[in-house]
Coordinates of all heavy atoms in Angstrom, one line a residue:
M1 N 6.8 -6.7 -15.5 CA 6.6 -5.3 -15.3 C 5.1 -4.9 -15.6 O 4.5 -5.6 -16.5 CB 7.5 -4.4 -16.2 CG 7.3 -3.0 -16.0 SD 8.5 -1.9 -16.9 CE 9.2 -2.9 -18.2
F2 N 4.5 -4.0 -14.9 CA 3.2 -3.5 -15.1 C 3.1 -2.0 -15.0 O 4.1 -1.4 -14.5 CB 2.2 -4.3 -14.2 CG 2.6 -4.3 -12.7 CD1 2.1 -3.3 -11.9 CD2 3.4 -5.3 -12.2 CE1 2.4 -3.3 -10.5 CE2 3.7 -5.3 -10.9 CZ 3.2 -4.3 -10.0
L3 N 2.0 -1.5 -15.3 CA 1.7 0.0 -15.2 C 0.9 0.3 -14.0 O 0.1 -0.5 -13.6 CB 1.0 0.5 -16.5 CG 1.7 0.3 -17.8 CD1 0.8 0.7 -19.0 CD2 3.0 1.1 -17.8
I4 N 1.2 1.4 -13.4 CA 0.5 1.9 -12.2 C 0.0 3.3 -12.5 O 0.8 4.1 -13.0 CB 1.4 1.9 -11.0 CG1 1.9 0.4 -10.6 CG2 0.7 2.5 -9.7 CD1 2.8 0.3 -9.5
H5 N -1.2 3.6 -12.2 CA -1.7 4.9 -12.3 C -1.5 5.7 -11.0 O -2.0 5.3 -10.0 CB -3.3 4.8 -12.6 CG -3.9 6.2 -12.7 ND1 -4.0 6.8 -13.9 CD2 -4.4 7.0 -11.8 CE1 -4.5 8.0 -13.8 NE2 -4.9 8.1 -12.5
C6 N -0.7 6.7 -11.1 CA -0.5 7.6 -9.9 C -1.7 8.6 -9.8 O -1.9 9.3 -10.8 CB 0.9 8.4 -10.1 SG 1.1 9.5 -8.7
P7 N -2.4 8.5 -8.7 CA -3.6 9.4 -8.5 C -3.2 10.9 -8.4 O -4.0 11.7 -8.6 CB -4.2 8.9 -7.3 CG -3.1 8.2 -6.5 CD -2.2 7.7 -7.5
Y8 N -1.9 11.1 -8.1 CA -1.5 12.5 -8.0 C -1.0 13.1 -9.3 O -1.4 14.2 -9.7 CB -0.5 12.7 -6.9 CG -1.0 12.3 -5.6 CD1 -0.6 11.0 -5.0 CD2 -1.8 13.1 -4.8 CE1 -1.1 10.6 -3.8 CE2 -2.3 12.7 -3.6 CZ -1.9 11.5 -3.1 OH -2.4 11.1 -1.9
C9 N -0.2 12.3 -10.1 CA 0.3 12.8 -11.3 C -0.8 12.6 -12.4 O -0.8 13.2 -13.5 CB 1.5 12.0 -11.7 SG 2.9 12.3 -10.7
N10 N -1.8 11.7 -12.1 CA -2.9 11.3 -13.0 C -2.3 10.8 -14.3 O -2.7 11.2 -15.4 CB -3.8 12.5 -13.3 CG -5.2 12.1 -13.8 OD1 -5.5 10.9 -13.6 ND2 -5.9 12.9 -14.5
E11 N -1.3 9.9 -14.2 CA -0.7 9.3 -15.4 C -0.4 7.8 -15.1 O -0.1 7.4 -14.0 CB 0.7 10.0 -15.7 CG 0.6 11.4 -16.2 CD 2.0 12.0 -16.4 OE1 2.9 11.2 -16.5 OE2 2.1 13.2 -16.5
E12 N -0.5 7.0 -16.2 CA 0.0 5.6 -16.1 C 1.5 5.6 -16.3 O 2.0 6.1 -17.3 CB -0.7 4.8 -17.2 CG -2.2 4.6 -17.1 CD -2.6 3.3 -16.4 OE1 -1.8 2.4 -16.5 OE2 -3.6 3.3 -15.8
R13 N 2.2 5.0 -15.4 CA 3.7 5.0 -15.5 C 4.2 3.6 -15.2 O 3.5 2.8 -14.6 CB 4.3 5.9 -14.5 CG 3.8 7.4 -14.5 CD 4.1 8.1 -15.8 NE 5.6 8.2 -15.9 CZ 6.2 8.9 -16.9 NH1 5.4 9.5 -17.8 NH2 7.4 9.0 -16.9
E14 N 5.4 3.3 -15.7 CA 5.9 1.9 -15.5 C 6.2 1.7 -14.0 O 6.6 2.6 -13.3 CB 7.2 1.8 -16.3 CG 6.9 1.8 -17.8 CD 8.2 1.6 -18.6 OE1 9.3 1.3 -18.0 OE2 8.1 1.6 -19.8
Q15 N 6.0 0.5 -13.6 CA 6.1 0.1 -12.2 C 7.5 0.4 -11.6 O 7.7 0.7 -10.5 CB 5.9 -1.4 -12.1 CG 6.1 -2.0 -10.7 CD 7.0 -3.2 -10.7 OE1 7.0 -3.9 -11.7 NE2 7.7 -3.4 -9.6
E16 N 8.5 0.5 -12.5 CA 9.9 0.8 -12.0 C 10.0 2.2 -11.4 O 11.0 2.4 -10.7 CB 10.9 0.7 -13.2 CG 11.0 -0.7 -13.7 CD 11.9 -0.8 -15.0 OE1 12.0 0.2 -15.7 OE2 12.3 -1.9 -15.3
E17 N 9.1 3.1 -11.7 CA 9.1 4.4 -11.1 C 8.6 4.4 -9.7 O 8.7 5.4 -9.0 CB 8.2 5.4 -11.9 CG 8.8 5.8 -13.2 CD 8.1 6.9 -13.9 OE1 7.3 7.6 -13.2 OE2 8.2 7.1 -15.1
F18 N 8.0 3.3 -9.2 CA 7.3 3.2 -7.9 C 8.0 2.2 -7.0 O 8.8 1.3 -7.5 CB 5.9 2.7 -8.1 CG 5.0 3.6 -9.0 CD1 5.1 3.5 -10.4 CD2 4.2 4.6 -8.4 CE1 4.3 4.3 -11.2 CE2 3.5 5.5 -9.2 CZ 3.5 5.3 -10.6
S19 N 7.8 2.4 -5.7 CA 8.3 1.4 -4.7 C 7.2 1.0 -3.8 O 6.3 1.8 -3.4 CB 9.3 2.1 -3.9 OG 10.4 2.5 -4.6
P20 N 7.1 -0.4 -3.6 CA 6.0 -0.8 -2.6 C 6.4 -0.4 -1.2 O 7.5 -0.2 -0.8 CB 6.1 -2.3 -2.7 CG 7.5 -2.6 -3.3 CD 7.9 -1.4 -4.0
A21 N 5.3 0.0 -0.4 CA 5.5 0.5 0.9 C 4.7 -0.3 1.9 O 4.3 0.3 3.0 CB 5.2 2.0 1.0
G22 N 4.4 -1.5 1.6 CA 3.8 -2.4 2.6 C 2.3 -2.4 2.6 O 1.6 -1.7 1.8
E23 N 1.7 -3.2 3.4 CA 0.3 -3.5 3.5 C -0.4 -2.2 4.0 O 0.1 -1.5 4.8 CB 0.0 -4.6 4.5 CG -1.4 -5.1 4.6 CD -1.6 -6.3 5.5 OE1 -0.6 -7.1 5.6 OE2 -2.6 -6.4 6.1
A24 N -1.6 -1.9 3.4 CA -2.4 -0.7 3.8 C -3.2 -1.1 5.0 O -3.5 -2.2 5.3 CB -3.2 -0.2 2.7
F25 N -3.7 0.0 5.7 CA -4.7 -0.1 6.8 C -4.1 -0.8 8.0 O -4.8 -1.5 8.7 CB -6.0 -0.8 6.3 CG -6.6 -0.1 5.1 CD1 -6.7 -0.8 3.9 CD2 -7.0 1.2 5.1 CE1 -7.3 -0.3 2.8 CE2 -7.5 1.8 4.0 CZ -7.7 1.1 2.9
I26 N -2.9 -0.6 8.3 CA -2.3 -1.1 9.5 C -2.4 0.0 10.6 O -1.8 1.1 10.4 CB -0.8 -1.4 9.4 CG1 -0.5 -2.4 8.3 CG2 -0.2 -2.0 10.7 CD1 -1.2 -3.8 8.5
A27 N -3.3 -0.2 11.5 CA -3.7 0.9 12.5 C -2.6 0.9 13.6 O -2.4 -0.2 14.2 CB -5.0 0.7 13.0
R28 N -2.1 2.0 13.8 CA -1.2 2.2 15.0 C -1.9 2.2 16.3 O -3.0 2.8 16.4 CB -0.4 3.5 14.9 CG 0.6 3.8 16.0 CD 1.2 5.2 15.8 NE 2.1 5.5 16.9 CZ 3.3 5.1 17.1 NH1 3.9 4.4 16.2 NH2 4.0 5.5 18.2
P29 N -1.5 1.4 17.2 CA -2.2 1.4 18.5 C -2.3 2.8 19.1 O -1.3 3.6 19.0 CB -1.3 0.5 19.4 CG -0.5 -0.3 18.5 CD -0.3 0.5 17.3
E30 N -3.5 3.1 19.7 CA -3.7 4.5 20.2 C -2.8 4.8 21.4 O -2.4 5.9 21.6 CB -5.2 4.7 20.5 CG -6.0 4.7 19.3 CD -7.5 5.1 19.6 OE1 -7.7 5.7 20.7 OE2 -8.3 4.7 18.8
A31 N -2.6 3.8 22.2 CA -1.7 4.0 23.4 C -0.6 2.9 23.4 O -0.8 1.9 24.2 CB -2.6 3.9 24.7
P32 N 0.5 3.1 22.7 CA 1.4 2.0 22.6 C 2.1 1.7 24.0 O 2.4 0.5 24.2 CB 2.5 2.6 21.7 CG 1.9 3.7 21.0 CD 0.7 4.2 21.8
E33 N 2.1 2.6 24.9 CA 2.7 2.3 26.2 C 1.8 1.4 27.0 O 2.3 0.8 28.0 CB 2.9 3.7 27.0 CG 1.7 4.5 27.3 CD 1.2 5.3 26.2 OE1 1.7 5.3 25.1 OE2 0.2 6.0 26.4
D34 N 0.6 1.2 26.6 CA -0.4 0.4 27.4 C -0.6 -1.0 26.8 O -1.3 -1.8 27.4 CB -1.8 1.0 27.4 CG -1.8 2.3 28.2 OD1 -0.9 2.5 29.1 OD2 -2.7 3.2 28.0
I35 N 0.2 -1.4 25.7 CA 0.0 -2.7 25.2 C 1.2 -3.5 25.5 O 2.3 -3.0 25.8 CB -0.2 -2.6 23.6 CG1 1.0 -2.1 22.9 CG2 -1.5 -1.8 23.3 CD1 0.8 -2.2 21.4
S36 N 1.1 -4.8 25.3 CA 2.2 -5.7 25.7 C 3.2 -5.7 24.6 O 3.0 -5.2 23.4 CB 1.6 -7.2 25.7 OG 1.2 -7.6 24.5
D37 N 4.4 -6.2 24.9 CA 5.5 -6.3 23.9 C 5.1 -7.2 22.7 O 5.4 -6.9 21.6 CB 6.7 -6.9 24.5 CG 7.4 -5.9 25.5 OD1 7.0 -4.7 25.5 OD2 8.2 -6.4 26.3
E38 N 4.3 -8.2 23.0 CA 3.8 -9.1 21.9 C 2.9 -8.3 21.0 O 3.0 -8.4 19.7 CB 3.1 -10.3 22.4 CG 4.0 -11.3 23.1 CD 3.3 -12.5 23.7 OE1 2.1 -12.3 24.1 OE2 3.8 -13.6 23.7
A39 N 2.0 -7.5 21.5 CA 1.0 -6.8 20.7 C 1.8 -5.7 19.9 O 1.5 -5.5 18.7 CB 0.0 -6.1 21.5
W40 N 2.8 -5.1 20.5 CA 3.6 -4.1 19.8 C 4.4 -4.8 18.6 O 4.5 -4.3 17.5 CB 4.6 -3.4 20.7 CG 5.4 -2.3 20.0 CD1 6.7 -2.4 19.7 CD2 4.9 -1.1 19.5 NE1 7.1 -1.3 19.0 CE2 6.0 -0.4 18.9 CE3 3.7 -0.5 19.5 CZ2 5.9 0.8 18.2 CZ3 3.6 0.8 18.8 CH2 4.7 1.4 18.2
A41 N 5.0 -5.9 18.9 CA 5.7 -6.7 17.9 C 4.8 -7.1 16.7 O 5.2 -7.0 15.6 CB 6.4 -7.9 18.4
D42 N 3.5 -7.5 17.1 CA 2.6 -7.8 16.1 C 2.3 -6.6 15.1 O 2.3 -6.7 13.9 CB 1.3 -8.3 16.7 CG 0.3 -8.8 15.7 OD1 0.7 -9.7 14.9 OD2 -0.9 -8.3 15.7
Y43 N 2.2 -5.4 15.8 CA 1.9 -4.2 15.0 C 3.1 -3.9 14.1 O 3.0 -3.5 12.9 CB 1.6 -3.0 15.9 CG 1.8 -1.7 15.3 CD1 0.9 -1.2 14.3 CD2 2.8 -0.9 15.6 CE1 1.0 0.0 13.7 CE2 3.0 0.4 15.0 CZ 2.1 0.8 14.0 OH 2.3 2.0 13.4
V44 N 4.3 -4.0 14.6 CA 5.5 -3.5 13.9 C 5.9 -4.5 12.8 O 6.3 -4.1 11.7 CB 6.7 -3.2 14.9 CG1 8.0 -3.0 14.1 CG2 6.4 -2.1 15.8
F45 N 5.9 -5.8 13.1 CA 6.5 -6.8 12.3 C 5.6 -7.7 11.5 O 6.0 -8.2 10.4 CB 7.5 -7.7 13.1 CG 8.6 -6.9 13.8 CD1 8.6 -6.8 15.1 CD2 9.6 -6.3 13.0 CE1 9.6 -6.1 15.7 CE2 10.6 -5.6 13.6 CZ 10.6 -5.5 15.0
Y46 N 4.5 -8.0 12.0 CA 3.7 -9.1 11.3 C 2.6 -8.5 10.4 O 1.9 -7.6 10.8 CB 3.0 -10.0 12.4 CG 4.0 -10.7 13.2 CD1 4.3 -10.3 14.5 CD2 4.7 -11.8 12.6 CE1 5.3 -11.0 15.2 CE2 5.7 -12.4 13.4 CZ 6.0 -12.1 14.6 OH 7.0 -12.7 15.3
R47 N 2.5 -9.1 9.2 CA 1.5 -8.8 8.2 C 0.8 -10.0 7.8 O 1.3 -11.2 8.0 CB 2.3 -8.1 7.0 CG 3.0 -6.8 7.4 CD 2.0 -5.8 7.9 NE 2.6 -4.5 8.3 CZ 2.9 -4.2 9.6 NH1 2.5 -5.0 10.6 NH2 3.4 -3.0 9.8
T48 N -0.3 -9.8 7.1 CA -1.2 -11.0 6.8 C -0.6 -11.8 5.6 O -0.9 -13.0 5.5 CB -2.6 -10.5 6.4 OG1 -2.5 -9.6 5.3 CG2 -3.3 -9.9 7.6
N49 N 0.2 -11.2 4.8 CA 0.8 -11.8 3.6 C -0.4 -12.5 2.8 O -0.3 -13.7 2.5 CB 1.8 -12.8 4.0 CG 2.7 -13.2 2.8 OD1 2.8 -12.4 1.8 ND2 3.4 -14.3 2.9
H50 N -1.5 -11.8 2.6 CA -2.7 -12.3 2.0 C -2.5 -12.8 0.6 O -1.8 -12.1 -0.2 CB -3.8 -11.2 2.1 CG -5.0 -11.6 1.5 ND1 -5.9 -12.4 2.2 CD2 -5.7 -11.3 0.3 CE1 -7.0 -12.6 1.5 NE2 -6.9 -11.9 0.4
K51 N -3.1 -13.9 0.3 CA -3.1 -14.4 -1.1 C -4.4 -14.0 -1.8 O -5.4 -14.3 -1.3 CB -3.0 -16.0 -1.1 CG -2.9 -16.5 -2.5 CD -2.7 -18.1 -2.4 CE -2.7 -18.6 -3.8 NZ -2.6 -20.1 -3.7
G52 N -4.2 -13.2 -2.8 CA -5.4 -12.8 -3.6 C -5.5 -11.2 -3.6 O -4.4 -10.6 -3.6
D53 N -6.6 -10.6 -3.7 CA -6.8 -9.2 -3.7 C -6.6 -8.6 -2.3 O -7.1 -9.0 -1.3 CB -8.3 -8.9 -4.2 CG -8.5 -9.4 -5.5 OD1 -7.6 -9.9 -6.2 OD2 -9.7 -9.5 -5.9
H54 N -5.7 -7.6 -2.3 CA -5.6 -6.9 -1.0 C -5.0 -5.4 -1.3 O -4.5 -5.1 -2.4 CB -4.6 -7.7 -0.1 CG -3.1 -7.4 -0.3 ND1 -2.3 -7.1 0.7 CD2 -2.4 -7.3 -1.4 CE1 -1.1 -6.9 0.3 NE2 -1.1 -7.0 -1.0
W55 N -5.1 -4.6 -0.3 CA -4.7 -3.2 -0.4 C -3.3 -3.1 0.1 O -3.0 -3.6 1.2 CB -5.7 -2.3 0.4 CG -6.9 -2.0 -0.3 CD1 -8.1 -2.7 -0.1 CD2 -7.2 -1.0 -1.2 NE1 -9.1 -2.2 -0.9 CE2 -8.6 -1.2 -1.6 CE3 -6.4 -0.1 -1.8 CZ2 -9.1 -0.3 -2.5 CZ3 -7.0 0.8 -2.8 CH2 -8.4 0.6 -3.1
E56 N -2.5 -2.3 -0.6 CA -1.1 -2.0 -0.2 C -0.8 -0.6 -0.5 O -1.5 0.1 -1.3 CB -0.1 -3.0 -0.9 CG -0.3 -3.0 -2.3 CD 0.4 -4.2 -3.0 OE1 0.8 -5.2 -2.3 OE2 0.6 -4.2 -4.2
Q57 N 0.3 -0.1 0.1 CA 0.7 1.3 -0.1 C 1.9 1.2 -1.1 O 2.7 0.3 -1.1 CB 1.2 1.9 1.2 CG 0.2 1.9 2.3 CD 0.8 2.3 3.6 OE1 0.6 3.4 4.0 NE2 1.5 1.5 4.2
W58 N 1.9 2.2 -2.0 CA 3.0 2.4 -2.9 C 3.4 3.9 -2.9 O 2.6 4.8 -2.5 CB 2.6 2.0 -4.4 CG 2.5 0.6 -4.6 CD1 1.5 -0.3 -4.2 CD2 3.4 -0.2 -5.4 NE1 1.8 -1.6 -4.6 CE2 2.9 -1.5 -5.3 CE3 4.6 0.0 -6.1 CZ2 3.6 -2.6 -6.0 CZ3 5.2 -1.0 -6.8 CH2 4.7 -2.3 -6.7
V59 N 4.7 4.1 -3.3 CA 5.1 5.5 -3.4 C 5.7 5.7 -4.7 O 6.3 4.9 -5.3 CB 6.2 5.8 -2.3 CG1 7.4 4.9 -2.4 CG2 6.6 7.3 -2.3
H60 N 5.3 6.9 -5.3 CA 5.9 7.3 -6.7 C 7.3 7.8 -6.5 O 7.5 9.0 -6.5 CB 4.9 8.2 -7.3 CG 5.1 8.4 -8.8 ND1 4.4 9.2 -9.6 CD2 6.1 7.8 -9.6 CE1 4.8 9.1 -10.8 NE2 5.8 8.3 -10.9
S61 N 8.2 6.9 -6.1 CA 9.5 7.3 -5.7 C 10.3 8.1 -6.8 O 11.2 8.8 -6.5 CB 10.3 6.1 -5.2 OG 10.2 5.0 -6.1
N62 N 10.1 7.8 -8.0 CA 10.8 8.5 -9.1 C 9.9 9.4 -9.8 O 10.1 9.7 -11.0 CB 11.5 7.5 -10.1 CG 12.6 6.7 -9.5 OD1 13.2 7.2 -8.6 ND2 12.9 5.5 -10.0
G63 N 8.9 9.9 -9.1 CA 7.9 10.9 -9.7 C 7.7 12.0 -8.6 O 8.5 12.6 -8.2
C64 N 6.4 12.0 -8.3 CA 6.0 13.0 -7.4 C 6.3 12.7 -5.9 O 6.1 13.6 -5.0 CB 4.4 13.2 -7.5 SG 3.5 11.8 -7.0
R65 N 6.8 11.5 -5.6 CA 7.2 11.1 -4.3 C 6.1 11.0 -3.3 O 6.4 11.1 -2.1 CB 8.4 11.9 -3.8 CG 9.5 12.0 -4.7 CD 10.6 12.9 -4.3 NE 11.4 12.3 -3.2 CZ 12.4 11.5 -3.2 NH1 12.9 11.2 -4.3 NH2 12.9 11.1 -2.1
K66 N 4.8 10.9 -3.7 CA 3.7 10.8 -2.8 C 3.3 9.4 -2.7 O 3.3 8.5 -3.6 CB 2.5 11.7 -3.4 CG 2.9 13.1 -3.3 CD 1.7 13.9 -3.8 CE 2.0 15.4 -3.7 NZ 1.0 16.3 -4.2
Y67 N 2.7 9.0 -1.5 CA 2.2 7.7 -1.2 C 0.7 7.6 -1.6 O 0.0 8.6 -1.4 CB 2.4 7.4 0.3 CG 3.8 7.2 0.8 CD1 4.7 8.2 1.0 CD2 4.2 5.8 1.0 CE1 6.0 7.9 1.3 CE2 5.5 5.6 1.4 CZ 6.4 6.6 1.6 OH 7.7 6.4 2.0
F68 N 0.3 6.5 -2.0 CA -1.0 6.2 -2.3 C -1.4 4.8 -2.1 O -0.5 4.0 -1.8 CB -1.4 6.7 -3.7 CG -0.6 6.1 -4.7 CD1 -1.0 4.9 -5.5 CD2 0.7 6.6 -5.1 CE1 -0.2 4.4 -6.5 CE2 1.5 6.0 -6.1 CZ 1.0 4.9 -6.7
M69 N -2.6 4.4 -2.3 CA -3.0 3.0 -2.0 C -3.4 2.3 -3.3 O -3.9 2.9 -4.3 CB -4.2 3.0 -1.1 CG -3.9 3.6 0.3 SD -5.3 3.5 1.3 CE -6.5 4.5 0.5
V70 N -3.1 1.0 -3.4 CA -3.4 0.2 -4.6 C -4.0 -1.1 -4.1 O -3.5 -1.8 -3.2 CB -2.0 -0.2 -5.3 CG1 -2.3 -1.2 -6.4 CG2 -1.4 1.1 -5.8
E71 N -5.1 -1.5 -4.7 CA -5.7 -2.8 -4.5 C -5.2 -3.7 -5.6 O -5.4 -3.4 -6.8 CB -7.2 -2.8 -4.5 CG -7.8 -4.1 -4.2 CD -9.3 -4.1 -4.2 OE1 -10.0 -3.3 -4.9 OE2 -9.9 -5.0 -3.5
R72 N -4.5 -4.7 -5.3 CA -3.8 -5.6 -6.2 C -3.9 -7.0 -5.9 O -4.0 -7.4 -4.8 CB -2.3 -5.1 -6.3 CG -1.4 -5.9 -7.3 CD 0.0 -5.4 -7.2 NE 0.6 -5.8 -5.9 CZ 1.3 -6.9 -5.7 NH1 1.4 -7.8 -6.7 NH2 1.9 -7.2 -4.6
S73 N -4.0 -7.8 -7.0 CA -4.0 -9.2 -6.8 C -2.6 -9.7 -6.6 O -1.7 -9.5 -7.5 CB -4.7 -10.0 -8.0 OG -4.4 -11.4 -7.9
T74 N -2.3 -10.4 -5.5 CA -1.0 -11.0 -5.4 C -0.7 -12.2 -6.2 O 0.3 -12.7 -6.3 CB -0.7 -11.3 -3.8 OG1 -1.7 -12.2 -3.5 CG2 -0.8 -10.1 -3.0
I75 N -1.8 -12.7 -6.8 CA -1.7 -13.9 -7.7 C -1.3 -13.5 -9.1 O -0.4 -14.0 -9.7 CB -3.0 -14.7 -7.7 CG1 -3.2 -15.2 -6.2 CG2 -2.9 -15.9 -8.6 CD1 -4.6 -15.8 -6.0
T76 N -2.1 -12.5 -9.6 CA -1.9 -12.1 -11.1 C -1.2 -10.8 -11.2 O -0.8 -10.4 -12.3 CB -3.3 -12.0 -11.7 OG1 -4.0 -10.9 -11.1 CG2 -4.1 -13.3 -11.6
H77 N -1.0 -10.0 -10.1 CA -0.5 -8.7 -10.1 C -1.4 -7.6 -10.8 O -1.0 -6.5 -11.0 CB 1.0 -8.6 -10.7 CG 2.0 -9.5 -10.1 ND1 2.4 -9.2 -8.8 CD2 2.6 -10.6 -10.4 CE1 3.3 -10.1 -8.4 NE2 3.4 -11.0 -9.4
E78 N -2.6 -8.1 -11.1 CA -3.5 -7.1 -11.7 C -3.9 -6.0 -10.7 O -4.2 -6.4 -9.5 CB -4.8 -7.8 -12.1 CG -5.9 -6.9 -12.7 CD -7.2 -7.6 -13.0 OE1 -7.4 -8.7 -12.7 OE2 -8.0 -6.9 -13.5
I79 N -3.8 -4.7 -11.1 CA -4.3 -3.7 -10.2 C -5.7 -3.4 -10.4 O -6.2 -3.2 -11.5 CB -3.4 -2.4 -10.5 CG1 -2.0 -2.7 -10.1 CG2 -4.0 -1.2 -9.8 CD1 -1.0 -1.6 -10.4
L80 N -6.5 -3.5 -9.3 CA -7.9 -3.4 -9.3 C -8.4 -2.0 -9.1 O -9.3 -1.5 -9.8 CB -8.6 -4.3 -8.3 CG -8.1 -5.8 -8.5 CD1 -8.5 -6.6 -7.3 CD2 -8.6 -6.4 -9.8
K81 N -7.7 -1.3 -8.2 CA -8.1 0.1 -7.8 C -6.8 0.9 -7.4 O -5.9 0.2 -6.8 CB -9.1 0.2 -6.7 CG -10.5 -0.3 -7.0 CD -11.4 -0.2 -5.8 CE -12.7 -0.8 -6.1 NZ -13.5 -0.9 -4.8
V82 N -6.8 2.2 -7.6 CA -5.8 3.0 -7.1 C -6.4 4.2 -6.4 O -7.5 4.7 -7.0 CB -4.8 3.5 -8.2 CG1 -3.9 4.6 -7.7 CG2 -4.1 2.3 -8.9
A83 N -6.0 4.6 -5.3 CA -6.6 5.7 -4.6 C -5.6 6.5 -3.8 O -4.7 6.0 -3.2 CB -7.7 5.2 -3.6
A84 N -5.9 7.8 -3.7 CA -5.1 8.7 -2.9 C -5.6 8.5 -1.4 O -6.7 8.0 -1.2 CB -5.3 10.1 -3.2
F85 N -4.7 8.7 -0.5 CA -5.1 8.6 0.9 C -6.3 9.5 1.2 O -6.3 10.7 0.8 CB -4.0 8.9 1.9 CG -3.0 7.8 2.0 CD1 -1.8 7.8 1.3 CD2 -3.3 6.7 2.8 CE1 -0.9 6.8 1.4 CE2 -2.5 5.6 2.8 CZ -1.3 5.6 2.2
G86 N -7.3 9.0 1.9 CA -8.5 9.8 2.2 C -9.6 9.7 1.1 O -10.7 10.2 1.4
A87 N -9.3 9.1 0.0 CA -10.3 8.9 -1.0 C -11.3 7.8 -0.6 O -11.0 6.9 0.2 CB -9.6 8.5 -2.4
D88 N -12.5 7.9 -1.1 CA -13.5 6.9 -0.9 C -13.2 5.7 -1.7 O -13.2 5.7 -2.9 CB -14.9 7.5 -1.2 CG -16.0 6.5 -1.0 OD1 -15.8 5.4 -0.3 OD2 -17.2 6.7 -1.4
I89 N -13.0 4.5 -1.0 CA -12.6 3.3 -1.8 C -13.7 2.3 -1.7 O -13.5 1.1 -2.0 CB -11.3 2.7 -1.3 CG1 -11.4 2.4 0.2 CG2 -10.1 3.6 -1.6 CD1 -10.2 1.6 0.7
S90 N -14.9 2.7 -1.2 CA -16.0 1.8 -1.0 C -16.6 1.1 -2.2 O -17.2 0.1 -2.1 CB -17.0 2.4 -0.1 OG -17.6 3.5 -0.7
E91 N -16.5 1.8 -3.3 CA -17.2 1.3 -4.5 C -16.4 0.2 -5.2 O -15.2 0.1 -5.1 CB -17.6 2.4 -5.5 CG -16.4 3.3 -5.9 CD -16.9 4.3 -6.9 OE1 -17.5 5.3 -6.5 OE2 -16.6 4.1 -8.1
Ligands
LIG101 ZN1 3.0 10.7 -9.0

């Protein structure tokens, strides 16, 4: 178990209050009707399953119920950054 800082509640809470919601920054195709079935399947089903630091989405399911982004190591589970959608994550 680990702690996650919810950027909306502005509190550190136990991981059990949250639910993972998949990899972040998956861009929806602008014109889905113009892409192949393979490209659509790639968008819907396939993820990088990256080993190491990566961005993912979480939802504070037993709290404010808002989605936000977490940069987390998939090796150590260390949380490196937490950000609300639209926040500057460049630093
Ligand atoms: Zn919250």
Side-chain angles (χ1 to χ4, degrees):
M1 180 173 21
F2 51 92
L3 297 174
I4 299 175
H5 178 89
C6 175
Y8 297 104
C9 297
N10 201 23
E11 294 179 17
E12 295 264 332
R13 307 294 296 187
E14 293 183 3
Q15 178 230 329
E16 293 172 341
E17 289 191 13
F18 300 85
S19 301
E23 186 176 329
F25 306 117
I26 305 295
R28 180 181 172 87
E30 289 187 24
E33 64 278 4
D34 295 336
I35 65 173
S36 69
D37 290 345
E38 288 177 332
W40 181 252
D42 186 53
Y43 162 71
V44 172
F45 298 111
Y46 295 105
R47 299 296 178 256
T48 59
N49 200 21
H50 181 74
K51 181 179 180 182
D53 301 347
H54 86 135
W55 283 96
E56 54 196 13
Q57 302 172 106
W58 284 73
V59 59
H60 195 178
S61 48
N62 291 333
C64 64
R65 305 177 69 91
K66 293 183 178 176
Y67 286 78
F68 56 96
M69 299 181 296
V70 173
E71 184 180 27
R72 183 179 66 89
S73 168
T74 59
I75 300 170
T76 64
H77 299 293
E78 179 186 5
I79 293 178
L80 307 167
K81 292 180 188 171
V82 174
F85 283 103
D88 181 11
I89 59 169
S90 60
E91 55 179 75

